[in-house]
Amino acid sequence: MSTTANPPKKTNRIGLEVLNYKGGKTTLCAGCGHNSISERIVEVFYEMGIHPWNVAKFSGIGCSSKSPAYFLGLSHGFNGVHGRAPSLATGAMLANRNLVGILVTGDGDTASIGIGQYIHLMRRNLPLIYIIEDNGVYGLTKGQFSATAEMGSKSKGGVINDMAKIDCCLLGIQLGASLVARSFSGDKKQMQAILKAALHHNGLSVIDIISPCVTFNDHEGSTKSYSYMKEHDLPIHEIDFVPHYENIEIEMAEGEVREVELHDGSQIRLRKLNRDYDPTKKTNAVRLLQESEEKGEVATGILYVQPRDTNFFDMLGMVDEPLATLPESRVRPSKESLDMVMEELR
Amino acid sequence: MRQLLKGNEAIVKGALLAGCRAFYGYPITPANEIAEAAAYYFPRCGGTFLQAESEVAAINMVYGAASAGVLTMTASSGPGISLMSEGISYLAGAELPCVIADITRGGPGLGNIAPEQSDYWQVVKNGGHGSYRSLVLAPSSVQEMADLTRLAFALAARYRNPVFVMADGVIGQMMEPVRFGEPAAVPPRPQWAVDGTAETRKNLVSSIFLQPDELEAHIGKLGAKYAEASRRETRLESYRTEDAEVVLTGYGIVRRILRHVVDELRGQGIAAGLLRPITLFPFPTEEFERLARRVPLFVAVEMSTGQMVEDVRLAVSGRAEVKFYGRCGGNLPDAAGIVEFVKTRLGAMEASHA
């Protein structure tokens, strides 16, 4: 009989193990960038102590949209219609404002068939994390260019893309998204920090993550390959995130760090790298994206953040409780309001 | 000379030989090879290919090209055809010719990418709004994918109407040898088209008729066109039906299975026959009516829970028994299962008449 005691299991601040945040086994290709994004989501939701059963995962159609099956297995998932995840998420989040919403989509799902819905979602500041797993191709249908493929990028079959790309970050910034970031699936630390900030942001967070497709877009001449990103990724700052429930003092040299305080008191601390960059200014973000494109660089980090006190629920004048849980006594119209309606019909 | 190729590729070569020069599409499985082949061949034949941002965009590009008088097509599968329904209604309303290939997969919703025949209702009965019809051709071999695509363009031009080539994913994906005919001359621009010249300035491509009498007259004109198509264009294949006591019916890949079933039943002493619609609209109603005067049992076999069987019942109109046998979800009906089903039904009929 063994007398060896099991070591205590490592848990987060709500007493759950990291195992409670995992999902099913991935069916994506080995080495797919999407898999490392799923891993980061597992780590961050565990670390931040989010109740997994309070999370709603939304997706559309494509390789990326399969990935919610591979993280947060205890959460609720909604795999919807091609390009329609923004409206599905809007409907569900309005029905239950207590949900933590995370939408995972791809460049085909968002920038082509779903672009109309994407654009209108940007205008609404719905509290939602919107991740674009961006590889520049349609993987499930064998490698056609998507609308985020750079002009001049070469397909696996040798075809050169001759159409201008859609920059989902630039669109998001211009159309009202209040946190916009770009990252690279190979940069674990940056992705973690951005995801943490997005979890605490009171509004819509768009995170465009360059996530190479190892099967159809990882060759020489592609601008979304691992090697291209390793050479052209230009992080604009180092990001530390300090949640409101922790009080961590970080020693930093004067003038080297920029702090952005979010609605709930959490702080995004941005350590200057090769330039001084203020992400709270829209014009800075637009200029940065346009200049990087001209130079052939991929600027990554929190490109734009505008901490908000109010969100889409407040704008709609919604009650504090989720609509889905209101008792009949609260949703039944009063006699006075019914009388008023009848009076109007006279 | 024969070429070995996929059903989906045969559609593209058939289209080019018919004079089609404009293809607009969006990726979807199991129809991808159509767009892939079109992207390769159309620009090499003086035509154009464009990957649209959605199926909604693709069908409206077709709408635009058709109004300019160019033979044009698109291709998709169930979910994409659902999205195209609005545009197809407008094309039919505006009396514009086009060809749409539907390589059907499993539904409803996302379903799966395995073959089904559950698009029958949305394609043959119309997914869009209004009193219109699409002509629908149902190939059952790769050779027919090429031949019926050519026919589809001829019918589209003749009736100024959308024409579907509807094939299940099996026919789209499988490879068979095909013999292609001589290319047709690219037809001259039709007189009704708008082409930016003073002569066509008077032409108006529209589906709007605000006055009730005008719209009623327009719908009547469309109806007369469909009646003419029913008289002239109905196509079917009849196999060993003349002395049959049971007639099996099915289209697409199912037709291939049913020919085998007919031979198997005949070998067991049962006089079975096959009536296979080649055109699903117009449906071969008259032939079913004719056979139903003598044949007591019809068995419709489909890769769905029973869609075409409703047209069989309408045609037979109570004169004979109509039974349904189907598999769905991507499963194919197997010959042995159908043979057993037919024998059981015949046995039950004999018992009830005894």
Side-chain angles (χ1 to χ4, degrees), chain B residues 81-125:
Chain B
I81 301 294
S82 300
L83 281 171
M84 291 182 185
S85 293
E86 177 191 63
I88 296 167
S89 165
Y90 278 75
L91 277 148
E95 293 193 87
L96 290 173
C98 70
V99 171
I100 304 148
D102 178 9
I103 310 303
T104 59
R105 59 186 252 181
L110 194 48
N112 63 23
I113 57 171
E116 262 197 4
Q117 294 179 321
S118 50
D119 279 6
Y120 187 92
W121 282 338
Q122 77 157 343
V123 168
V124 179
K125 303 296 181 184

Side-chain angles (χ1 to χ4, degrees), chain B residues 18-263:
Chain B
C20 175
R21 289 295 180 270
F23 186 103
Y24 309 97
Y26 187 79
I28 189 166
T29 309
N32 283 318
E33 295 84 359
I34 302 180
E36 187 185 7
Y40 183 82
Y41 290 114
F42 271 63
R44 285 169 171 78
C45 298
T48 189
F49 165 88
L50 186 65
Q51 179 180 313
E53 66 272 30
S54 69
E55 290 89 347
V56 177
I59 194 68
N60 283 287
M61 290 171 183
V62 165
Y63 191 8
S67 67
V70 173
L71 280 184
T72 178
M73 77 172 294
T74 184
S76 191
S77 186
I81 301 294
S82 300
L83 281 171
M84 291 182 185
S85 293
E86 177 191 63
I88 296 167
S89 165
Y90 278 75
L91 277 148
E95 293 193 87
L96 290 173
C98 70
V99 171
I100 304 148
D102 178 9
I103 310 303
T104 59
R105 59 186 252 181
L110 194 48
N112 63 23
I113 57 171
E116 262 197 4
Q117 294 179 321
S118 50
D119 279 6
Y120 187 92
W121 282 338
Q122 77 157 343
V123 168
V124 179
K125 303 296 181 184
N126 304 330
H129 59 286
S131 300
Y132 76 96
R133 301 302 301 254
S134 300
L135 277 64
V136 186
L137 307 175
S140 72
S141 67
V142 178
Q143 180 68 54
E144 284 188 354
M145 288 290 248
D147 297 345
L148 293 183
T149 299
R150 289 194 71 156
L151 174 64
F153 280 99
L155 295 177
R158 189 179 304 154
Y159 293 94
R160 285 178 59 183
N161 202 70
V163 179
F164 271 91
V165 175
M166 184 167 80
D168 48 83
V170 183
I171 306 289
Q173 291 295 321
M174 73 184 190
M175 296 182 89
E176 282 184 316
V178 177
R179 202 180 298 278
F180 289 98
E182 291 300 308
V186 174
R189 187 167 289 123
Q191 289 190 341
W192 47 259
V194 285
D195 66 358
T197 59
E199 298 81 63
T200 62
R201 176 67 187 85
K202 65 181 190 316
N203 289 352
L204 179 67
V205 176
S206 172
S207 67
I208 188 171
F209 299 88
L210 286 176
Q211 297 305 319
D213 286 345
E214 285 179 16
L215 182 55
E216 191 173 50
H218 176 64
I219 294 168
K221 184 182 160 205
L222 297 181
K225 207 163 70 171
Y226 305 140
E228 190 194 337
S230 297
R231 279 192 303 277
R232 292 180 53 184
E233 313 299 348
T234 305
R235 285 165 172 78
L236 58 91
E237 174 192 353
S238 199
Y239 178 63
R240 305 180 88 167
T241 56
E242 283 320 309
D243 62 338
E245 58 177 311
V246 52
V247 168
L248 292 120
T249 182
Y251 62 98
I253 191 65
V254 173
R255 168 259 187 188
R256 311 268 289 254
I257 301 167
L258 292 184
R259 274 184 80 102
H260 176 75
V261 168
V262 165
D263 293 342

Side-chain angles (χ1 to χ4, degrees), chain A residues 34 46 88 118 131 159 163 187 196 224 249 258 263 285-286 290 315 346:
Chain A
H34 303 357
Y46 163 76
L88 295 167
Y118 177 74
I131 294 175
V159 178
M163 271 188 282
D187 189 340
K196 288 176 187 174
K224 295 261 195 287
E249 289 301 322
R258 189 179 283 280
H263 172 69
V286 172
Q290 289 176 336
M315 202 197 304
R346 252 179 234 284

